[in-house]
Amino acid sequence: MSTSDGKFGRYGGQYVPEALMPAIEELEEAYERYVLENGDGFMDEFRQRLRDFGGRPTPTQYAERLSERYGRDVYMKREDLVHGGAHKLNNALGQVLLAKYMGKERIIAETGAGQHGTATAMACAHLDFDCEVYMGERDINRQRSNVFRMKINGAEVTPVTVGRGTLKEAISETMRDWATNVEDTHYVIGSVVGPHPFPAMVRDFQSVISEEAREQMRERAGTLPDSVLACAGGGSNTMGAFAEFVDDEDVGLYAVEAGGSSLAVDEENGVAPNSASLSTGGEGVLHGARTKLLQDRDGQIMESHSVSSGLDYAGVGPELAYLVDGGRVTPVTVDDDAALEAFHRLSRMEGVIPALETAHAFAYLEENHEDLGETVLVNVSGRGDKDLESVIEETEKRGIENAPDMSMFSGGLR
Amino acid sequence: MSRIPEAFANGPAFIPYLAVGDPDYESSLAYVEALERGGADIIELGLPFSEPVAEGPTIQNAVVRALEGGMTPTRFFEFVEELDVDVPLVCMTYYNLIYRYGDEDANRPRAFVERAAEVGLDGFVVPDLPAEEADPLREACDEFDLDLVFIVAPTTEGERLERIMEQVSGYVYVQARLGVTGARSDVSAQTDESLARLDDWDVPKAVGFGIKTGDHAERIVAGGADGIIVGSALVDIVAEGHENGDSAEAVADRLETKARELSEGASRGFAQRPPHPERT
């Protein structure tokens, strides 16, 4: 769905400090001119760079053993095979290229699990931009390999120590940088969140996922899938995987959120032990948009939780909130343990080590395959190399049953 | 009826800011009252929000202290009711708290504004609410005769200026430089330029962001500002007192002294101003 006024029903909008509004308006114009109208051949160059630098198209692979296990056809859209190992490059490359068309000189970004930061750092090296990435201190410790990758690609990684040191704080900090340096700097937002035009623009850059998958499913399976599953944190791989299927009313769309350790909420301490803002959040305004948020009764934003730092965020894209309200997208949840089990299952059965984010979608498939129809498409949003340290630690700590013996790695991989 | 226009009637307005509840409810009451003794003409009361994206580290930390001290919108309104000061009060907060106030069936954001009017607030500054999204709050403010102050940034030009001019009431908050809040050792040259752009607005122009000393205040008012807004330089005093374990009385005294320095600086600046062509 397109948005002419920056709104998706009651969601979306532009709730940012006044200093940023001119930059947002400038971006809106650039989005319309270059992305929507292919001005100066922007989209042609973007598509070509996605092919040559990004390695697109990615395959839609038939998952033989999972199909056998569940008695239905399971397909995997392999975004883990995009350069850098995640769908994040689609958007980062699009925005950094757009910044170049706009004549900006500097790129800033925030990152949770580090995949977006890595993709942005790679796109900046590729297109010759200075790049600064804000990352929560806690996430830096959870995702060291991506921190290395960003630095190797020439990015400066700035730790954010306020609050709990995760994505929410990193986004706030990047907005502060942007408000200070708005005249020459573009903020590459990493998901379908933030003020208009970011949610629509990021969706457009990511919709290459469902565009390819739709065509590949027709070729491979001769039919569209009955269901599409994608994990949902901020929601960029989700919207990317859903966008071209939204009008196919017969295709069920499932946004799989991080149920964390529980769906209950600790109002007293302002803590949600999950990151399921579509399933349990309330309407509010955060980081530039009206959307569904994890918040207490006063409107203070809660600390979210997920074993996967890529899903650990208290908000979600406004378009997803809109599609959920309208019944087009079904929000579902999977807890930390089920995600870890699915991580090991997919690695063992298909030889695909998924990102912990992605593992949530496969966990939902395991538990609910009977309700998903004959043909199921799961979006493999990224690969799991970045998560190995967390997986080893969490697997041991929780005694995940289907995991291999990890005792030889006790004390981590360091 | 908002009392804000009176505050600009006789010379420049000194508008200090503090985060309410920083570091605790009782001390905060004493601190705000000290600002009035020091010469505040209007006081901006910060209602702490967990994601203060427009604030620099000084006010971010104040917000964390206040939230940890148990400050909530409900407590904030009690605070305003209990406050013993006689100057106009402006609530500075982020839109989500205004939007979420009240029970499930509440008429939002009207419920917040109604309560604000009830406890005697005079207006709002909402840093993440640009003019484009402000209609619902504007309507509620009109209904209860409260002012809605907007920020004009150094980047605000052309049509955006006009859009803000249509919406603003009370005073316009002129952001002296790009970036987030925080005290600085000099005053930005962008200020004069910003003020010049607003020259034909008939709403008072109060300059904020980075003002730290009486000399800054003097220079800015001499340059044409109708008021000065000072936050971080005062919050710094609260933070230092908190870190050193000083008594609330001692901190309040320091706040009063600093307020007086700033207020007197503004008055000196006003004395140097050439008469405004349209006001003579």
Side-chain angles (χ1 to χ4, degrees):
Chain A
M1 144 183 184
S2 69
T3 166
S4 53
D5 62 350
K7 300 266 164 66
F8 303 97
R10 55 199 287 119
Y11 301 106
Q14 299 175 317
Y15 296 86
V16 294
E18 172 57 30
L20 291 178
M21 281 304 290
I24 300 264
E25 287 179 346
E26 186 190 350
L27 183 63
E28 219 176 316
E29 279 166 30
Y31 166 59
E32 282 165 18
R33 176 173 164 201
Y34 296 118
V35 181
L36 297 183
E37 294 161 18
N38 192 26
D40 299 349
F42 171 84
M43 284 304 283
D44 301 330
E45 181 175 352
F46 171 53
R47 295 282 167 141
Q48 184 236 315
R49 286 183 189 273
L50 269 185
R51 280 196 304 274
D52 298 351
F53 178 67
R56 299 208 74 92
T58 61
T60 293
Q61 182 203 344
Y62 184 67
E64 292 172 33
R65 293 187 64 202
L66 287 186
S67 297
E68 199 176 310
R69 180 180 178 90
Y70 301 130
R72 63 208 65 235
D73 291 330
V74 178
Y75 290 85
M76 303 187 286
K77 178 60 176 165
R78 296 289 307 276
E79 289 303 293
D80 57 318
L81 296 178
V82 177
H83 178 47
H87 72 291
K88 292 288 185 186
L89 186 77
N90 304 328
N91 167 51
L93 185 62
Q95 286 199 48
V96 176
L97 186 63
L98 188 65
K100 191 167 183 168
Y101 275 60
M102 291 169 72
K104 298 286 175 181
E105 287 163 17
R106 173 174 174 261
I107 294 291
I108 53 172
E110 90 300 313
T111 196
Q115 280 302 114
H116 172 60
T118 300
T120 306
M122 283 173 169
C124 284
H126 176 61
L127 293 164
D128 192 21
F129 267 94
D130 284 341
C131 177
E132 181 166 0
V133 181
Y134 290 90
M135 189 169 183
E137 202 169 41
R138 180 186 158 95
D139 285 339
I140 286 180
N141 292 326
R142 287 200 278 189
Q143 303 287 351
R144 295 189 319 151
S145 65
N146 270 335
V147 176
F148 297 151
R149 294 207 292 171
M150 285 182 256
K151 286 186 177 254
I152 286 167
N153 279 295
E156 193 178 323
V157 180
T158 306
V160 178
T161 54
V162 292
R164 205 167 56 102
T166 59
L167 181 58
K168 172 167 76 72
E169 290 81 13
I171 293 181
S172 294
E173 200 56 37
T174 317
M175 290 189 100
R176 292 186 185 103
D177 180 314
W178 203 25
T180 311
N181 301 296
V182 63
E183 284 162 321
D184 67 351
T185 298
H186 176 68
Y187 173 11
V188 180
I189 288 187
S191 193
V192 287
V193 300
H196 176 69
F198 283 104
M201 181 173 72
V202 176
R203 173 207 60 205
D204 290 350
F205 288 144
Q206 292 293 1
S207 63
V208 64
I209 301 172
S210 47
E211 191 183 303
E212 287 174 7
R214 208 168 175 282
E215 206 181 302
Q216 289 162 335
M217 286 301 293
R218 279 202 190 281
E219 276 169 25
R220 291 291 308 271
T223 176
L224 293 183
D226 296 311
S227 308
V228 180
L229 271 58
C231 60
S236 73
N237 95 89
T238 336
M239 275 317 302
F242 292 175
E244 297 295 321
F245 290 110
V246 166
D247 292 336
D248 301 316
E249 296 283 342
D250 293 340
V251 179
L253 305 175
Y254 294 84
V256 187
E257 297 194 281
S261 56
S262 161
L263 289 182
V265 156
D266 179 357
E267 280 266 352
E268 188 83 358
N269 294 307
V271 175
N274 60 69
S275 304
S277 31
L278 286 170
S279 305
T280 68
E283 189 185 324
V285 173
L286 176 67
H287 292 146
R290 175 180 303 216
T291 185
K292 287 182 188 281
L293 304 171
L294 299 175
Q295 55 187 326
D296 67 14
R297 71 174 80 82
D298 291 328
Q300 303 290 3
I301 307 307
M302 290 208 177
E303 302 294 357
S304 56
H305 164 81
S306 169
V307 69
S308 159
S309 27
L311 300 179
D312 197 348
Y313 179 55
V316 66
E319 187 171 10
L320 272 169
Y322 168 77
L323 292 171
V324 163
D325 276 7
R328 183 64 192 99
V329 167
T330 308
V332 294
T333 61
V334 154
D335 68 21
D336 287 342
D337 285 3
L340 282 162
E341 273 178 32
F343 175 94
H344 291 295
R345 189 178 308 111
L346 190 68
S347 304
R348 183 78 190 83
M349 291 187 70
E350 296 287 351
V352 172
I353 300 177
L356 269 177
E357 294 91 319
T358 305
H360 285 74
F362 283 96
Y364 188 75
L365 176 67
E366 170 79 7
E367 291 164 14
N368 300 278
H369 54 87
E370 283 172 5
D371 305 327
L372 298 173
E374 289 307 305
T375 311
V376 183
L377 174 69
V378 186
N379 191 37
V380 183
S381 59
R383 69 180 191 219
D385 308 40
K386 69 186 170 67
D387 293 320
L388 291 182
E389 285 192 59
S390 314
V391 167
I392 290 167
E393 192 187 321
E394 295 289 336
T395 297
E396 275 216 319
K397 197 167 79 189
R398 294 157 190 266
I400 300 296
E401 277 183 14
N402 67 348
D405 178 8
M406 294 285 180
S407 55
M408 66 186 294
F409 299 123
S410 281
L413 288 172
R414 310 171 186 202
Chain B
M1 189 64 192
S2 162
R3 300 170 291 170
I4 290 173
E6 296 164 34
F8 289 93
N10 305 303
F14 164 52
I15 310 172
Y17 162 99
L18 281 179
V20 166
D22 169 27
D24 61 72
Y25 186 97
E26 290 301 325
S27 313
S28 189
L29 270 177
Y31 297 166
V32 173
E33 288 168 4
L35 295 177
E36 190 201 30
R37 289 196 299 278
D41 298 294
I42 297 172
I43 299 174
E44 285 186 1
L45 299 171
L47 164 57
F49 176 52
S50 55
E51 315 301 318
V53 296
E55 317 294 352
T58 304
I59 292 177
Q60 274 182 65
N61 290 333
V63 164
V64 170
R65 285 191 297 270
L67 288 173
E68 280 172 357
M71 186 44 61
T72 64
T74 305
R75 290 286 279 160
F76 174 83
F77 287 131
E78 287 165 13
F79 181 98
V80 178
E81 271 183 320
E82 200 177 334
L83 201 55
D84 184 18
V85 297
D86 195 27
V87 295
L89 300 170
V90 172
C91 167
M92 181 157 186
T93 194
Y94 288 76
Y95 192 54
N96 201 45
L97 296 190
I98 295 177
Y99 183 71
R100 292 292 301 187
Y101 186 77
D103 58 30
E104 282 298 311
D105 304 324
N107 179 353
R108 298 165 176 173
R110 187 180 177 277
F112 189 94
V113 180
E114 184 175 16
R115 180 76 183 122
E118 221 171 82
V119 299
L121 282 161
D122 297 84
F124 300 103
V125 187
V126 190
D128 65 342
L129 190 71
E132 284 79 355
E133 307 283 359
D135 282 347
L137 184 60
R138 169 83 269 165
E139 281 160 26
C141 284
D142 287 347
E143 183 183 342
F144 292 98
D145 281 329
L146 266 63
D147 285 315
L148 186 52
V149 173
F150 282 89
I151 296 172
V152 167
T155 46
T156 312
E157 282 168 357
E159 274 178 33
R160 292 206 52 75
L161 274 176
E162 283 165 35
R163 214 170 298 160
I164 293 169
M165 191 159 42
E166 281 165 21
Q167 289 268 18
V168 74
S169 69
Y171 54 96
V172 56
Y173 187 140
V174 182
Q175 185 179 329
R177 55 174 170 72
L178 278 178
V180 291
T181 55
R184 291 291 195 285
S185 52
D186 62 343
V187 181
S188 167
Q190 277 174 334
T191 312
D192 296 342
E193 216 177 283
S194 298
L195 283 170
R197 267 186 292 150
L198 307 180
D199 215 27
D200 53 356
W201 287 27
D202 60 1
V203 60
K205 294 165 270 294
V207 173
F209 274 51
I211 300 172
K212 196 177 170 184
T213 66
D215 288 345
H216 293 164
E218 178 179 345
R219 218 176 323 152
I220 285 173
V221 173
D226 303 303
I228 51 153
I229 303 168
V230 183
S232 295
L234 298 164
V235 172
D236 275 337
I237 293 173
V238 175
E240 254 179 58
H242 180 64
E243 274 157 32
N244 298 336
D246 298 339
S247 71
E249 290 76 24
V251 176
D253 284 347
R254 272 173 240 154
L255 283 168
E256 184 181 336
T257 306
K258 187 71 184 174
R260 188 162 294 119
E261 174 196 332
L262 290 157
S263 166
E264 287 172 1
S267 298
R268 285 198 306 276
F270 193 69
Q272 299 161 27
R273 273 169 73 159
H276 193 287
E278 284 169 27
R279 290 185 196 132
T280 49

